[in-house]
C-alpha cells in the first residue's frame, strides 16, 4: 500500500530533562516517496514582521530539504533524514530519530543532538501533529506535487518545492544565498486563494552594504548649510566635527594588505609612489610640529618675526612637496583610441579629481586604473597636496567659505568646455576624497552658467567624498532621465556616492551630511560598506567594489543539529552564524550584495521638517491624511496639490521615503549605474543585451501533463519527481536565491 503524503506541524521541543516549548513555526511536507521540505521560523511574537501583515520574514531557525527513510528495527520505527539542501551547512550529515505514535494520533520523535553551549550530546524530544490533507474544497483527494532543481542539469544551486493539500513550501540555495517560502491556501469568496505566509531571503552580505536615499525633498525644505549659517559659524562647526572623527585617522591607511592585486607596477612607478608616500609622511610630521608650536610662537614672538617664521615654514613645506607635483592635467596611459572607428564611445568624456595626500604619480595610477576598469580614456585633474594637515585646512576653507582654489577653477573650466561641446554627449565626473568637495563646487558654479540641457549630460560618482552638500535641482522636463528609483526627474540624471563606514573623510563629509544634517541638500544615492575602513582610492574603494577578478567561494557553514531551539541569523535574516555563534562570511561580490536600507534617516527627516498647512480648503483633507501618516506635505508656490501628490512639480510626500521603500530587497547592482560601464560597456549596451537574454525562451526537461511550467529568468531546468494531481497544480515558480518566488497555482 502506497503511503499518503503528510503535513506535520511541530507542537513542542525539549532537551531532556528540560521543559517543552515551541519557539518556532515548524511545518514539514513529506511526499509518499519520502521527499520532504522542513521550514522552521521563529514565532511572530518573537521576531520582526514585514510590512505585509500576512507575510512573515523574520528570523529563520533552520530550513532543509531532501529525502526521508523509515525502517522497522526490533519493533522500533527509526527515521533518517538526508538533507543535501540545508540553510546551515554545505555538507550536512543525516539525522536519525525514533518515531513513536501516541494514542491521540500525535507522533513523538526522540533522538540525540549536540548542545551548542556545552558541546555535549544530549537527548531531545519533538512532538508532531498531522494536519488534514484535503484542505481545498475543489479537490476530491490528497494532492502532492514535488519539483526539484539541481546542479545535475547545469544549474548553479539546488532547490525543492513541495505542495501537499493546502500547503506549499520551497527552498532554493546557491552561492549567493538562500530563499525560503511557505504558502497556504485560504478558503474564501470566489473559491479561496494562495497566501504567502513565510518569505525569507538569506544572504550573508545582506547587512554589509547600507543604502541611504538622497536628501532631495521639496525645494522649500532642503537647502545647503550656507543658506542657514554664516561662514564663521560653519567653520567652527566643521572644525568641531573634524575633531570628533580624528580617532578614525589611523583607519585612513588600513587595511594595509588588500585581497585583490593588479599586475605588478613598473619599477619607475613604484619608486615614484614610494617617494611620494615618504614625502607625505614627512610633511605630516613637520606640519604637526608646526601646529603644536603655533600658539606659543604667536604669543612669544614679535609680529614681524612671527609672520617671517610662518612664511619660512610655508616655503619649506612647498619645497619639500615640489617633487610630488606635476601638470594640472594628466591623461591615462595607453587609452582607447579617440577615433570613432576604434573607440566605441566617442561621445563620452571621463574626468577624475583626486583627493588629499595624492601626488602626480598617484593621480596617474588612479586614472590608469579607471581606464583599465571602464575601457575609456580618463582625464585627471591634479588636486595638488602639500601635506595632510594642509589639505584638511584647505577642505575647511572650501566647504565653509566656498574658497575656489586653483584646482577648483581648473576643474570648472575643463568640465564646462566638455559640456558645451556639441560632440560630447556624456561627461562622467569621478571624484575621490577632497575631489568630492571640488566636484560639488564645480556643480554649483556650472548651474549658474550653463543650461539644464547641458548639465543633463553629466554623471557624478564619488568615493570617500568630503563634500558637505551636492546640488541637483529638479526639472519638469518629461524627457529628462532620472536616477535609479528616483521619485522625480533631476537635472543631473545620475549621482552616486560610495563610502567606507570607518573612513574618517566621509564620516566628516558625505556620511555626516546625509545622516546627521537632516535638512541638508545632498543629491545622489549613498552606498556605505559597513565595517570597512580605508581611504585609498584603488586599494580601499576600487578593489573591493570593482575587483579585476571576482570570485564566489562561500565558506562552509557549521551545521546546527536538528531541533536546537536557538535561532541562527539576526532578526532580519541578514547573517548566518556557525556553531560557536561567530559570523560566517561569504565571498560574495559587492555588487551582488543586497543592500540594508537605512529607513531611520528618511523618518528623521520627515519628523524634523516643518509642516505648512495647505491654504486651499479642497486640499485640506489631503493634508490631514498626510499628517495622520506622518508624511511630509509642504505648500510651495500657490500651495496646490494635484491628483498625483505633486506640489508645483515636486514630490509632496518625502521622496527619500519612497526611494527607501523602492530600494528594499534590491542589490547594489540594481541600484547602481556606474558598474554598467565596466569592461568598456555602457548602460545602453547592457540594456539591449538584457532584452536579448529575456527574449531567449527558457526550457525545462519535463512538462506537467503537457503544460510547460513557468520559470523566472534565473532558472532553466527542473525535474519532476512526483505528481499525483497535476490537473489541479499546474506550475510552481522558481527563482534564484536573490529574489525567488515559489507560488502555487490552482486551475
Amino acid at each position: 500500500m502506497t503511503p499518503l503524503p503528510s503535513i506535520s506541524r511541530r507542537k513542542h521541543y525539549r532537551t531532556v530533562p528540560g521543559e517543552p516549548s515551541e519557539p518556532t513555526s515548524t511545518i514539514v511536507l513529506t511526499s509518499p516517496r519520502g521527499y520532504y521540505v522542513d521550514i522552521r521560523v521563529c514565532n511572530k511574537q518573537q521576531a520582526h514582521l514585514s510590512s505585509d501583515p500576512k507575510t512573515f520574514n523574520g528570523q529563520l531557525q533552520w530550513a532543509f530539504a531532501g529525502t526521508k527513510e523509515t525502517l522497522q528495527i526490533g519493533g522500533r520505527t527509526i527515521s533518517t533524514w538526508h538533507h543535501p539542501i540545508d540553510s546551515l551547512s554545505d555538507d550536512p550529515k543525516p539525522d536519525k530519530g525514533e518515531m513513536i505514535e501516541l494514542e491521540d494520533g500525535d507522533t513523538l520523535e526522540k533522538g540525540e543532538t549536540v548542545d551548542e553551549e556545552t558541546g555535549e550530546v544530549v537527548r531531545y524530544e519533538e512532538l508532531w501533529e498531522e494536519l488534514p490533507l484535503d484542505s481545498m474544497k475543489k479537490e476530491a483527494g490528497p494532492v502532492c506535487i514535488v519539483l526539484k532543481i539541481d546542479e545535475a542539469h547545469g544549474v548553479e544551486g539546488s532547490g525543492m518545492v513541495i505542495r501537499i493539500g493546502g500547503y506549499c513550501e520551497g527552498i532554493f540555495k546557491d552561492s549567493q544565498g538562500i530563499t525560503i517560502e511557505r504558502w497556504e491556501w485560504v478558503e474564501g469568496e470566489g473559491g479561496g486563494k494562495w497566501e504567502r505566509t513565510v518569505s525569507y531571503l538569506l544572504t550573508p552580505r545582506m547587512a554589509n552594504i547600507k543604502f541611504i536615499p538622497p536628501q532631495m525633498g521639496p525645494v522649500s525644505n532642503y537647502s545647503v548649510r550656507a543658506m542657514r549659517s554664516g561662514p564663521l559659524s560653519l567653520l567652527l562647526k566643521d572644525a568641531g566635527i573634524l575633531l570628533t572623527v580624528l580617532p578614525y585617522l589611523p583607519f585612513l591607511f588600513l587595511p594595509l594588505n588588500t585581497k585583490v592585486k593588479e599586475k605588478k607596477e613598473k619599477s619607475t612607478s613604484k619608486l615614484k609612489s614610494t617617494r611620494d608616500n615618504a614625502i607625505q609622511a614627512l610633511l605630516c610630521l613637520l606640519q604637526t610640529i608646526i601646529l603644536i608650536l603655533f600658539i606659543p610662537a604667536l604669543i612669544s614672538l614679535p609680529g614681524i618675526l612671527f609672520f617671517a617664521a610662518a612664511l619660512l615654514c610655508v616655503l619649506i613645506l612647498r619645497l619639500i612637496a615640489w617633487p610630488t607635483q606635476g601638470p594640472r592635467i594628466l591623461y591615462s596611459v595607453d587609452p582607447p583610441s579617440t577615433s570613432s572607428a576604434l573607440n566605441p564611445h566617442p561621445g563620452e568624456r571621463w574626468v577624475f579629481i583626486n583627493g588629499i595626500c595624492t601626488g602626480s604619480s598617484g593621480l596617474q595610477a588612479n586614472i590608469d586604473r579607471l581606464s583599465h576598469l571602464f575601457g575609456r580614456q580618463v582625464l585627471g585633474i591634479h588636486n595638488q597636496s602639500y601635506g595632510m594637515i594642509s589639505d584638511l585646512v584647505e577642505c575647511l576653507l572650501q566647504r565653509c567659505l566656498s574658497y575656489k582654489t586653483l584646482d577648483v577653477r581648473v576643474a570648472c573650466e575643463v568640465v564646462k568646455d566638455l559640456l558645451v561641446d556639441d560632440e560630447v554627449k556624456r561627461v562622467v565626473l569621478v571624484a575621490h576624497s577632497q575631489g568630492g568637495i571640488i566636484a560639488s563646487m564645480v556643480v554649483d558654479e556650472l548651474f549658474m552658467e550653463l543650461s539644464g540641457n547641458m548639465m543633463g549630460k553629466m554623471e557624478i560618482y564619488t568615493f570617500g567624498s568630503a563634500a558637505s552638500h551636492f546640488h541637483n535641482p529638479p526639472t519638469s522636463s518629461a524627457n529628462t532621465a532620472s536616477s535609479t528609483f528616483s521619485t522625480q526627474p533631476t537635472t543631473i540624471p545620475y549621482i552616486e556616492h560610495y563610502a567606507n563606514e570607518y573612513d574618517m573623510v566621509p564620516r566628516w563629509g558625505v556620511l555626516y551630511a546625509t545622516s546627521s544634517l537632516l535638512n541638508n541638500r545632498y543629491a545622489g544615492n549613498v552606498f556605505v560598506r559597513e565595517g570597512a575602513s580605508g581611504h585609498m582610492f584603488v586599494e580601499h574603494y576600487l578593489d573591493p567594489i570593482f575587483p579585476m577578478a571576482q570570485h564566489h567561494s562561500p565558506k562552509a557553514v557549521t551545521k546546527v543539529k536538528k531541533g536546537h531551539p536557538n535561532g541562527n541569523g539576526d532578526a532580519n535574516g541578514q547573517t548566518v552564524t556557525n556553531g560557536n555563534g561567530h559570523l560566517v562570511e561569504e565571498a560574495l561580490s559587492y555588487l551582488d550584495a543586497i543592500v540594508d536600507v537605512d529607513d531611520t534617516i528618511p523618518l528623521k527627516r520627515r519628523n524634523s521638517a516643518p509642516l505648512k498647512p495647505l491654504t486651499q480648503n479642497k486640499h485640506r483633507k489631503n493634508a490631514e491624511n498626510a499628517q495622520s501618516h506622518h508624511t511630509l506635505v509642504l505648500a510651495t508656490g500657490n500651495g496646490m496639490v494635484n491628483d498625483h501628490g505633486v506640489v508645483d512639480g515636486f514630490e509632496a510626500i518625502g521622496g527619500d521615503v519612497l526611494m527607501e521603500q523602492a530600494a528594499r530587497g534590491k542589490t547594489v547592482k540594481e541600484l547602481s549605474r556606474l558598474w554598467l560601464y565596466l569592461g568598456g560597456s555602457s548602460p545602453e549596451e547592457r540594456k539591449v543585451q538584457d532584452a536579448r537574454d529575456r527574449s531567449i525562451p527558457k526550457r525545462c526537461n519535463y512538462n506537467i501533463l503537457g503544460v510547460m511550467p513557468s520559470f523566472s529568468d534565473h532558472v532553466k531546468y527542473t525535474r519532476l519527481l512526483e505528481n499525483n494531481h497535476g490537473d489541479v497544480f499546474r506550475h510552481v515558480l522558481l527563482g534564484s536565491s536573490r529574489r525567488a518566488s515559489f507560488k502555487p497555482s490552482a486551475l
Side-chain angles (χ1 to χ4, degrees), residues 210 446 531:
K210 181 167 68 174
L446 294 182

Side-chain angles (χ1 to χ4, degrees), residues 573-584:
Q574 296 171 351
T575 61
V576 177
T577 56
N578 60 19
N580 298 321
H582 298 129
L583 179 65
V584 178

